[in-house]
Amino acid sequence: MGQIVGGFLVPHDPLIFAAPDTVPAEVKDAVFDAYAEAARRLGELRADAVVVFGTDHYILFGPGCLPQALMGVGELDGPIDRMRGLDRRVIPHHPELADHILRHVLDGDFDLACAKVLTVDHSVAIPQQLVVAPAGDLPIIPFYLACGVDPVIPMRRAAHLGGLVRSAVEAWPGDERVVVIGSGGISHSVGEADMGRVNVEFDQMILELVAEGDVEGLCALSDDDVVRDGGNGALEIRNFAAALSAVPNPRGELIAYRPVPQWITGLGFVEVRAA
Amino acid sequence: MSQTMLEKVLYDLSVDRSAKKAFRDDPRALLAGYRLTAEEIELICDFDLHALRERGVNPMLLMGYWQLARQDMTSYLRRIAGPRDMEGKA
């Protein structure tokens, strides 16, 4: 059977590419070193495929169709929102395992949209290029959870999906080792008047929940409280809830945390170990 | 007033190259093709971020559409964080 052997939570802040020199070199180096450390640890896990939970930013999906959750099952490329340093490229995929996960999730009474081809955005492309590609250009299986456009997917629903991904992998007849990545956060306000506000206290609270693998604690947070304390962008901690739920007995180990107002985000990097 | 139609327009102006070009050439001609009130058309043409946000438009769409004004994110933040009386044509 397949196995979820671990996970990572990493940010996907586009300003690390769009405005790289607005922060001191020491900060920039620390952030890119954190991605490199996640890549190094991913390499040690000897994974065969990586599931990435990302967020649409009202680019991939428009008002004509807003999936609560979508999975890419076929050919992949991206990002659609390319930027200097983040070029658009073909991304390795794993269609057989992806198809198996899709059908397992649907059989689990979870309605999931699927994309038979998908051009991902930066929320998947940043971890793909900075963590997955350096670890051996492993195939990825992307999910998009509605985190940025109302109505967002309920946190508990995101966690439920993560659990279904885990059971799907465990029901896979092959012996693939699979790693999950929750992409996003932590505190940031996108496009609102308080854009640039980073809340270290909120970030530490989330990191403590993650360290304990406390998905229930994440689910207990109301969206109103998350937006008030962490900004509208922090709603994407539901990607953390999904990733944690996919890892057996998860425990988070902090790789790095940097609050970077110039990049409008509290940037947290965590390895999620399977106990 | 339709928040949904405002989001449809701003989504098109954020991602659709032909819509962007049409807007730059003749914004009112493009917007006449959407179901918008005269007031909504003026809000869009004026890049009135406060008024559009108050009508429920997603801020990520506002950021994408703001780039049509050939402005950067610093000016966006100055505008969205500033008082209403700073509003003016971009």
Side-chain angles (χ1 to χ4, degrees):
Chain A
M1 70 178 215
Q3 187 183 0
I4 303 273
V5 294
F8 296 90
L9 310 179
V10 296
H12 58 242
D13 186 344
L15 292 176
I16 68 173
F17 291 106
D21 298 320
T22 54
V23 302
E26 179 266 333
V27 173
K28 180 179 164 185
D29 290 347
V31 168
F32 280 91
D33 285 351
Y35 279 111
E37 175 61 12
R40 188 189 67 74
R41 295 188 188 196
L42 173 58
E44 286 183 347
L45 288 169
R46 296 177 289 107
D48 300 296
V50 179
V51 168
V52 183
F53 292 98
T55 298
D56 177 43
H57 296 77
Y58 232 154
I59 299 172
L60 296 179
F61 316 129
C65 184
L66 290 167
Q68 286 277 286
L70 175 139
M71 175 184 185
V73 295
E75 283 81 2
L76 305 169
D77 72 339
I80 195 166
D81 48 346
R82 75 187 93 181
M83 49 197 85
R84 187 176 298 168
L86 192 71
D87 57 315
R88 185 164 170 173
R89 57 175 74 164
V90 170
I91 298 170
H93 65 304
H94 195 316
E96 298 83 9
L97 180 57
D99 184 73
H100 165 79
I101 292 174
L102 171 69
R103 293 176 195 284
H104 181 94
V105 170
L106 294 175
D107 285 344
D109 285 339
F110 192 107
D111 295 327
L112 185 64
C114 80
K116 293 191 174 181
V117 294
L118 183 63
T119 300
V120 302
D121 78 345
H122 68 274
S123 76
V124 169
I126 287 178
Q128 192 275 327
Q129 293 197 18
L130 296 186
V131 180
V132 181
D137 217 11
L138 303 165
I140 72 162
I141 299 173
F143 283 80
Y144 273 93
L145 304 186
C147 304
V149 181
D150 182 64
V152 296
I153 187 171
M155 191 93 75
R156 199 171 295 282
R157 211 63 192 131
H160 181 52
L161 177 60
L164 285 170
V165 169
R166 175 187 164 191
S167 60
V169 169
E170 290 173 350
W172 173 246
D175 57 1
E176 268 85 345
R177 295 167 60 84
V178 178
V179 165
V180 294
I181 293 178
S183 171
I186 308 174
S187 65
H188 61 302
S189 173
V190 181
E192 301 281 22
D194 63 345
M195 190 161 64
R197 177 175 69 95
V198 174
N199 185 342
V200 173
E201 205 171 300
F202 174 85
D203 293 342
Q204 296 297 346
M205 182 267 290
I206 297 299
L207 289 170
E208 285 169 17
L209 291 173
V210 164
E212 295 297 317
D214 188 354
V215 175
E216 194 55 40
L218 289 175
C219 291
L221 301 171
S222 77
D223 288 348
D224 287 345
D225 287 349
V226 169
V227 171
R228 181 195 65 214
D229 296 336
N232 57 351
L235 289 169
E236 63 197 13
I237 58 172
R238 53 233 322 113
N239 292 335
F240 294 1
L244 284 173
S245 300
V247 177
N249 303 313
R251 288 290 180 275
E253 182 181 300
L254 187 68
I255 296 173
Y257 170 72
R258 287 278 174 160
V260 188
Q262 300 95 322
W263 287 343
I264 75 162
T265 307
L267 303 165
F269 299 78
V270 175
E271 178 178 3
V272 182
R273 293 183 183 273
Chain B
M1 288 293 179
S2 166
Q3 178 249 353
T4 306
M5 188 51 64
L6 288 172
E7 289 209 336
K8 163 68 177 164
V9 175
L10 265 58
Y11 178 75
D12 288 351
L13 292 177
S14 296
V15 305
D16 182 339
R17 196 170 294 179
S18 64
K20 291 180 190 185
K21 181 179 184 311
F23 185 84
R24 288 192 175 113
D25 291 346
D26 188 346
R28 286 174 180 77
L30 173 75
L31 296 176
Y34 293 90
R35 191 169 176 172
L36 296 166
T37 66
E39 183 187 4
E40 287 170 333
I41 288 173
E42 292 312 308
L43 295 182
I44 295 170
C45 290
D46 287 350
F47 289 87
D48 190 336
L49 300 181
H50 277 298
L52 291 166
R53 185 71 192 98
E54 284 168 9
R55 282 160 176 77
V57 173
N58 186 292
M60 289 188 293
L61 290 181
L62 291 180
M63 291 171 67
Y65 139 87
W66 179 249
Q67 292 174 20
L68 270 177
R70 301 180 190 281
Q71 299 278 348
D72 60 16
M73 280 303 110
T74 304
S75 63
Y76 174 90
L77 186 56
R78 201 161 49 234
R79 180 68 65 87
I80 198 77
R84 280 198 63 95
D85 61 7
M86 282 180 64
E87 297 290 351
K89 290 182 189 295

